[in-house]
Amino acid sequence: MKVDISRSPDPDIFRNRKNQSFWFSLFFVIAIGAIGVGAYVMYVDTKLDPHLVDWALGVLVVSSLFITRFGNRLQAYKELLPPEKEKLAKLRQNHPVIDKYCSRIEKMGRRIIRAEYEACVDYAEDQEEHSA
């Protein structure tokens, strides 16, 4: 997720979270099913399809790639931990742009998410590099 703190915050930043949660859950269920099929075929002597274990393993690998993709995207929506909140408070004191952005979010009545926090940290690091 791309967040630009020089602009006003997106009021509907959570619009894609439901879609990404759906896809994450779907691929998670598919992975669990592939594990179940693989375990069944390995422990029960079945002659239905000799390559069923290979198919189950393939489905497991592909679904785990998508689980990772959508899981990483969902990380951007996480709530900040206390150490992150403390660091953000320090950044707000030192950088007026970050304080302005966070104030706008507070006026909207929503919480600051990890993607916005990371954008603020990146902005502060860029400012420190330019001033040095």
Side-chain angles (χ1 to χ4, degrees):
M1 172 184 311
K2 183 78 172 164
V3 176
D4 185 10
I5 65 168
S6 63
R7 297 182 181 172
S8 63
D10 186 4
D12 193 22
I13 200 163
F14 297 106
R15 68 180 159 270
N16 293 329
R17 184 172 67 169
K18 186 185 289 186
N19 188 20
Q20 292 172 1
S21 296
F22 169 76
W23 288 109
F24 175 82
S25 301
L26 177 70
F27 286 112
F28 189 74
V29 168
I30 290 171
I32 296 298
I35 291 171
V37 168
Y40 175 77
V41 172
M42 285 175 35
Y43 291 112
V44 176
D45 188 26
T46 180
K47 306 287 189 218
L48 295 176
D49 188 2
H51 301 290
L52 196 56
V53 173
D54 297 334
W55 279 97
L57 181 61
V59 169
L60 177 64
V61 168
V62 171
S63 64
S64 66
L65 292 174
F66 285 104
I67 288 169
T68 304
R69 177 181 178 191
F70 289 108
N72 286 337
R73 287 182 180 182
L74 287 171
Q75 293 291 321
Y77 296 104
K78 288 176 79 173
E79 189 174 340
L80 298 182
L81 299 173
E84 295 169 334
K85 289 179 182 178
E86 292 172 8
K87 185 173 181 179
L88 184 62
K90 291 177 185 175
L91 292 175
R92 286 179 75 170
Q93 292 173 354
N94 297 333
H95 302 281
V97 173
I98 294 173
D99 186 45
K100 183 178 178 183
Y101 185 82
C102 293
S103 298
R104 289 178 179 171
I105 291 174
E106 290 169 352
K107 285 180 185 176
M108 285 185 209
R110 70 169 174 85
R111 62 182 169 85
I112 297 174
I113 61 173
R114 183 164 293 185
E116 293 169 326
Y117 167 77
E118 290 173 357
C120 291
V121 170
D122 290 343
Y123 174 82
E125 289 174 355
D126 287 344
Q127 292 301 314
E128 290 173 5
E129 287 177 8
H130 291 315
S131 65

